[in-house]
Amino acid sequence: MGGRAKLSRRTFATGAAALFSAPAALAAPATRQVETSLGRLDIPAAPQRVVAIDSRIGLEQALAFDLPLVGYSHSRARPWVPVPADVPFLAAPPNLEQILMLAPDLILCPDSAPNSDWWPLARLPAIAPALPSNHRISWQENLTRLGGWLGREEVAVRIIAAHAEMIAAIRTRHRRAVERTLVAAVHYDAIKRRLLVRSAGTRYGLVMPAQVLAELGGREVGADRLGPNGEVTLDSFGDVLGAVDGILLIDFGDGGPQALAREPLWQRLPAVKAGRVETVAGNCTFGSLYTARYLARAWDALFARLSA
Amino acid sequence: MTGRLSNALIASLLFIGAMLASLLAGAKLLPPSSLLDLLLGDDGEAALILWQLRLPRLALGLVVGAALGAAGATIQAATRNPLGDPGLLGINAGASLAVIIGSGLFALGPTANAWLASGGASLAALAVHAVAGAPRGPSAPIKLTLAGVAVTAFCLGVGQAIALADPERFDVVRNWRVGALSGDGLALLPAIAPPLLAGAMLAAVLAPRLNLLALGEDRAAALGLSVGWTQAGCLLAVVLLAGAAVAAAGPIAFVGLAAPHMARRFGGADQRIVLPSAALIGAVLVTAADTLGRVVAPPAELPVGIVTALIGAPVLVALARAQRSEA
Amino acid sequence: MPWAARVPVRTGRAMRATLRRSLVVDLGLAMACIGLGLFSLTLGTMPVSLADIARALAGEATGPVQLVVLEWRLPRILAALAAGAALGMAGALFQTLLRNPLGSPDVIGFDAGAFSGAILAMLTGAAAGGVALASFAGGLAAGLLVYAAAGGGHVERNRLILIGIAVGAGFTALNDWLIFTAPLDSALIAASWKQGALAGIDRGRLAIGAAILLALLPLGLACRRMMDALALGDDKAMSLGEPPGVARLCLGLVGLSLTATATLIAGPVGFVALIAPHAARRLARSAGLPLSTSALFGALFLLGSDCVARLLFAPRSLPVGAVTACLGGLYFVLLLRSRMRRGADS
């Protein structure tokens, strides 16, 4: 108990020092005025302490612009997102006081529900200027928008161009497969025994596997044959996935693929019989450039199988 | 007597109809004409759906429904509570919390979960009776039911806190809160068989004694029945049955309430007849509700627990309005 | 167990003693609320000294202290107190009305109705104010549905409870279905809201809720006479000049409005309305359910639960609904132990 109290006092000292030095930083002319959906904001021209509320988009964006992160929330960073080891995972749902004590000078937060516990965008400006991201537009649009606000459009342009190059290379490598074959990215819910298709636009949101597949120009199963969140029950596996040539199987580490392997109706899908299933580890449903890159490699591997 | 006979005839027709519909309906409809071919042997996709999905699912629905119906019949007779239902009495919620803890926090498999669910069901049943203070008299059913609702609220609150601790776990657990028959019947049935059979046998053995109990506790005691032991045995049977049902399908409300009432309406009050007929009716109800849930909004499925609750709630209102006044 | 049924006729002196005791208890609870409220201003991830809090309350603080104490902690504490008081009083009203110690508004379906309203508002993308109003409307709708399904005020109590449970089960199924099919983010937000909305309280919502409560709480206290009359039985109530049908309707409407307002402020937090009247009756040792004591205990209980929720795993916070559920469960266990010691008195 004593140790904890001491620790929190020390943290406070650091935080307080940063807090009280903040006005000095503001006095310097190093701010930019930007226009967001929340109105006009003054943000630091060179942010020193950045908090990303959502690990799936703000975190990846902050790393992309090389912003100095002091913490992030929502869920633990995925293994393919290069977070420095000293950036802490904060309380989830976010604890405003904890964020305040980190004395951030910029916060990145999705605008999905500004009054919610999980994405409290409406309350963040009291701590520091908050820049929104939006789950309904593509990761490139989000990145470009943020780049514009930060005055670093060129970084966004470079990242997007490098990604486009990677996508183009995959397309050239597997042109026939990409154009001719039908593919799907799926996650298996072993408890309710249903597939959740993540390569099509559904009510679930603008999911990354679908975005990257669209960039590649691949062909996916139509959302009209899926449930509202992309569900496919076992008995319509054949109807929905029978014509699919290759499947990207997303493994959340919850035993899904192992359970799926025991289902005869999965086993008899042509794509599975032919061994054209590529497993990709980790929850890559939402994200930004790193997840996009990770998924591009996964699709690349699947199309390589399909070309073989 | 002819009334009985025609009732039995209607019941068996409904039973067969529900079974057939359950085999054929779903996101993929199987043509009725092909059923015989499929059953006799064909190794196409349709046969696989029938053998791997529909038949195990039908079996699971029948077993879960029968367990709930038998549990309801036993608890209604043992506590002389016309509102006895594993869902209303918090037993389902206790079992479901145990399963959320077991699979959500400790990643346990179906066999462990079946016993864990029975354990959770017993704790909830004990808690309900303790909170209600082992009430007697005409308002005992209401007291027990309210205690059940309070215990349910407790279990749901704790379960939800576990689910909400991690947004990714929540995405999965939000689906477990409602009962559904989409689990793997072939794996689940053997797993839940031991508690289920034990509960069913216990309920069957105790059924004749419950007829004595129906005369009133004092008269039953005067006739040589050990009331306390009988009630304890019945409660044990109920938690075994309901726990197994929840472990296999999640919480399904109202079946345990409605089935015994319908059974008594068809076949009189003799517990030796009520018990098996409630089990049969429960099996039909769950199968029919599951089939309905599969055809209303394809390709998505409406979980059976939601179908029974949406149908059962108005039924309970009607039952409450029709019931004789009991101050 | 139906305590309201056995209100003894007391002699003047005993009555005065009870009155004095309940005044003392009320005063003690009020002090405890204020004390815990002030103390909990110091609790949180950011350490704030008592001196800083005094300065903040005097309006002299600036910067982070002003933000944390006046903008975040104070509204949340006031909201917990207000919603807890409303729930405590509503619980006492309903438990008297239904003559059942478990007949609280959350058990008989109003919370489920409020949640339905809130989810529907969230799924259509309404702002916080809209969600709060929708939950208010949902709770009222559930209450009126129960009243209508029960065929007006003429139905006998136990049937009313049963109908409430049934309506609650129906709404719960609807809620489960909505959460089950909603997109992940909406489902997560809705499920979080169900377990308490204190974290997201803002001054506007608190002001609206507090304004309604300022009107309702005195109205509730004025129901005292009707409650006592009803507790004596319908015939007696009639002879005392309180037509039982009218009295029941009044109590029900006031209780329902209190519940809906509490939901507007704090979300559908369970167990407060259930526990507060029990505890109040034990503290005040009164025959009936003391309304003011119940309201004060409710306020203290919800504030205490919220402190536990904020601090137990700090900096992570727990849903306050889970804390009230656990504390409520614990209370039942204690109740049971004392009952076992005294021997069953059903």
Side-chain angles (χ1 to χ4, degrees):
Chain A
M1 195 63 207
R4 196 173 135 192
K6 212 179 288 165
L7 186 68
S8 73
R9 222 171 289 135
R10 188 171 351 118
T11 325
F12 176 58
T14 332
L19 275 178
F20 294 123
S21 63
L26 276 175
T31 61
R32 292 173 52 83
Q33 199 170 61
V34 301
E35 185 85 35
T36 73
S37 53
L38 299 173
R40 197 158 289 172
L41 293 177
D42 280 318
I43 63 164
Q48 296 303 310
R49 302 178 64 81
V50 178
V51 166
I53 296 297
D54 196 310
S55 55
R56 301 165 303 175
I57 176 158
L59 178 67
E60 293 194 25
Q61 290 181 330
L63 293 168
F65 288 104
D66 219 6
L67 297 175
L69 273 165
V70 291
Y72 69 96
S73 178
H74 190 274
S75 45
R76 297 255 173 208
R78 317 284 186 245
W80 57 86
V81 179
V83 194
D86 59 337
V87 176
F89 174 62
L90 306 175
N95 174 336
L96 294 179
E97 290 187 22
Q98 187 187 31
I99 294 173
L100 179 69
M101 284 182 63
L102 291 167
D105 54 2
L106 185 68
I107 304 175
L108 305 178
C109 178
D111 60 3
S112 351
N115 291 297
S116 66
D117 297 359
W118 287 91
W119 301 283
L121 185 60
R123 323 188 83 197
L124 294 172
I127 305 175
L131 294 177
S133 58
N134 188 310
H135 275 307
R136 313 249 163 254
I137 57 176
S138 72
W139 68 267
Q140 289 99 330
E141 283 173 87
N142 269 311
L143 201 70
T144 309
R145 214 167 59 158
L146 183 61
W149 289 328
L150 293 170
R152 296 168 71 185
E153 292 91 344
E154 77 290 349
V155 177
V157 169
R158 199 174 59 221
I159 289 171
I160 292 168
H163 183 77
E165 213 171 286
M166 182 180 178
I167 293 287
I170 297 170
R171 263 190 76 85
T172 352
R173 258 202 306 280
H174 314 300
R175 178 174 299 278
R176 262 183 76 87
V178 171
E179 280 171 3
R180 301 261 175 98
T181 59
L182 193 64
V183 290
V186 298
H187 164 236
Y188 185 59
D189 171 0
I191 289 183
K192 292 287 176 192
R193 290 214 301 170
R194 51 187 193 168
L195 281 177
L196 299 155
V197 173
R198 292 289 171 252
S199 52
T202 61
R203 251 181 83 179
Y204 197 81
L206 193 55
V207 289
M208 289 304 287
Q211 281 189 59
V212 177
L213 184 62
E215 289 163 12
L216 283 164
R219 296 164 55 221
E220 43 103 351
V221 288
D224 53 327
R225 308 169 86 178
L226 313 174
N229 285 319
E231 302 95 333
V232 182
T233 50
L234 270 172
D235 53 356
S236 39
F237 269 23
D239 284 357
V240 180
L241 299 173
V244 165
D245 301 292
I247 297 174
L248 194 62
L249 179 58
I250 306 170
D251 181 4
F252 279 17
D254 55 1
Q258 294 77 6
L260 202 49
R262 291 191 292 269
E263 295 293 354
L265 282 158
W266 165 261
Q267 292 299 346
R268 61 174 280 125
L269 289 176
V272 180
K273 267 195 201 153
R276 289 169 177 165
V277 177
E278 182 69 29
T279 307
V280 52
N283 185 340
C284 48
T285 315
F286 297 103
S288 186
L289 68 151
Y290 296 103
T291 304
R293 197 178 291 166
Y294 184 67
L295 278 165
R297 284 196 206 106
W299 284 120
D300 185 18
L302 178 66
F303 285 121
R305 265 180 209 253
L306 288 170
S307 304
Chain B
M1 201 58 214
T2 45
R4 282 265 170 96
L5 205 63
S6 67
N7 279 345
L9 200 67
I10 292 170
S12 38
L13 279 178
L14 279 174
F15 188 56
I16 293 168
M19 292 219 297
L20 281 179
S22 163
L23 286 180
L24 299 174
K28 181 168 177 87
L29 288 170
L30 301 180
S33 52
S34 68
L35 191 60
L36 207 60
D37 289 346
L38 294 176
L39 281 172
L40 288 178
D42 174 349
D43 51 358
E45 188 197 3
L48 214 50
I49 288 176
L50 187 69
W51 284 103
Q52 294 290 328
L53 293 181
R54 300 280 166 79
L55 277 170
R57 186 167 182 150
L58 173 62
L60 193 64
L62 292 174
V63 167
V64 164
L68 290 172
T74 305
I75 199 152
Q76 287 182 11
T79 55
R80 299 204 295 141
N81 173 3
L83 302 175
D85 170 58
L88 286 180
L89 290 176
I91 294 171
N92 280 354
S96 142
L97 176 61
V99 172
I100 286 187
I101 292 174
S103 9
L105 294 184
F106 300 108
L108 296 178
T111 315
N113 272 335
W115 289 105
L116 202 63
S118 294
S122 335
L123 280 180
L126 283 177
V128 166
H129 283 81
V131 166
R136 293 180 184 193
S139 60
I142 284 287
K143 286 180 184 164
L144 279 171
T145 310
L146 278 171
V149 177
V151 168
T152 300
F154 169 75
C155 294
L156 290 184
V158 176
Q160 202 69 351
I162 295 172
L164 283 172
D166 176 353
E168 274 156 21
R169 191 193 299 145
F170 169 79
D171 196 15
V172 183
V173 173
R174 69 169 160 156
N175 298 329
W176 303 347
R177 269 199 54 180
V178 283
L181 291 177
S182 49
D184 183 1
L186 294 175
L188 286 169
L189 284 174
I192 63 166
L196 195 78
L197 290 176
M201 281 198 293
L202 197 55
V205 168
L206 292 172
R209 296 178 179 216
L210 289 178
N211 283 337
L212 284 182
L213 200 60
L215 302 172
E217 289 177 12
D218 297 338
R219 287 184 66 186
L223 288 169
L225 184 77
S226 51
V227 174
W229 281 112
T230 306
Q231 284 177 330
C234 285
L235 210 55
L236 181 63
V238 168
V239 298
L240 286 170
L241 287 167
V246 174
I252 298 175
F254 290 110
V255 173
L257 177 74
H261 281 276
M262 293 164 80
R264 279 192 292 270
R265 182 160 292 192
F266 282 132
D270 184 348
Q271 183 69 10
R272 286 170 302 179
I273 295 173
V274 171
L275 183 71
S277 30
L280 196 66
I281 292 170
V284 177
L285 285 180
V286 168
T287 306
D290 179 49
T291 312
L292 193 64
R294 276 185 280 158
V295 296
V296 284
E301 288 180 356
L302 193 56
V304 63
I306 288 174
V307 178
T308 60
L310 287 177
I311 297 174
V315 172
L316 181 55
V317 170
L319 208 61
R321 290 173 61 124
Q323 211 187 9
R324 279 306 319 140
S325 152
E326 34 167 72
Chain C
M1 230 13 210
W3 54 59
R6 45 164 201 219
V7 180
V9 182
R10 300 230 171 171
T11 62
R13 208 166 68 197
M15 210 131 102
R16 269 199 299 281
T18 314
L19 203 63
R20 204 177 317 126
R21 185 180 165 89
S22 74
L23 268 178
V24 170
V25 167
D26 281 7
L27 210 61
L29 280 174
M31 304 273 284
C33 283
I34 296 171
L36 182 61
L38 286 175
F39 178 61
S40 62
L41 277 174
T42 67
L43 303 175
T45 311
M46 181 166 127
V48 183
S49 69
L50 278 169
D52 279 344
I53 283 170
R55 265 200 295 281
L57 290 178
E60 288 163 10
T62 52
V65 170
Q66 190 266 345
L67 177 66
V68 168
V69 175
L70 292 189
E71 300 290 328
W72 291 348
R73 290 187 192 167
L74 189 62
R76 185 166 178 165
I77 290 164
L78 292 177
L81 288 171
L87 288 173
M89 185 177 277
L93 287 172
F94 275 112
Q95 293 181 23
T96 307
L97 187 66
L98 301 172
R99 279 203 195 174
N100 193 303
L102 292 174
S104 83
D106 41 344
V107 169
I108 56 176
F110 303 163
D111 275 11
F115 190 28
S116 298
I119 303 182
L120 288 172
M122 285 180 197
L123 288 180
T124 52
V131 171
L133 284 180
S135 72
F136 188 91
L140 279 181
L144 295 177
L145 194 60
V146 171
Y147 187 75
H154 302 294
V155 76
E156 168 270 335
R157 278 176 303 273
N158 284 346
R159 286 195 210 189
L160 194 73
I161 295 175
L162 247 193
I163 289 169
I165 289 173
V167 169
F171 274 113
T172 301
L174 178 68
N175 298 341
D176 282 343
W177 183 38
L178 289 171
I179 288 201
F180 184 74
T181 53
L184 173 60
D185 289 355
S186 317
L188 181 64
I189 295 165
S192 300
W193 184 86
K194 168 77 171 73
Q195 297 297 321
L198 283 171
I201 190 81
D202 58 33
R203 286 183 166 188
R205 194 146 55 91
L206 179 61
I208 297 173
I212 303 177
L213 282 188
L214 277 183
L216 280 177
L217 287 175
L219 210 59
L221 287 175
C223 291
R224 175 80 263 172
R225 225 184 98 79
M226 288 183 183
M227 277 174 73
D228 287 345
L230 273 185
L232 294 171
D234 286 2
D235 298 341
K236 199 88 184 221
M238 201 56 147
S239 70
L240 285 173
E242 297 283 358
V246 177
R248 276 195 211 106
L249 189 62
C250 287
L251 291 191
L253 277 178
V254 173
L256 192 55
S257 314
L258 282 168
T259 314
T261 314
T263 310
L264 185 150
I265 299 173
V269 182
F271 282 92
V272 180
L274 195 61
I275 297 295
H278 289 244
R281 178 166 157 270
R282 300 194 138 229
L283 286 173
R285 294 209 195 128
S286 64
L289 288 174
L291 280 173
S292 50
T293 318
S294 186
L296 286 166
F297 188 88
L300 189 64
F301 181 55
L302 188 54
L303 178 59
S305 300
D306 192 43
C307 289
V308 173
R310 283 197 295 146
L311 295 175
L312 192 62
F313 295 111
R316 295 199 60 142
S317 57
L318 285 171
V320 70
V323 176
T324 56
C326 287
L327 291 177
L330 198 68
Y331 180 82
F332 275 131
V333 172
L334 294 177
L335 196 71
L336 174 73
R337 273 188 45 166
S338 70
R339 188 186 285 158
M340 272 158 81
R341 236 179 296 132
R342 280 186 290 122
D345 74 330
S346 61

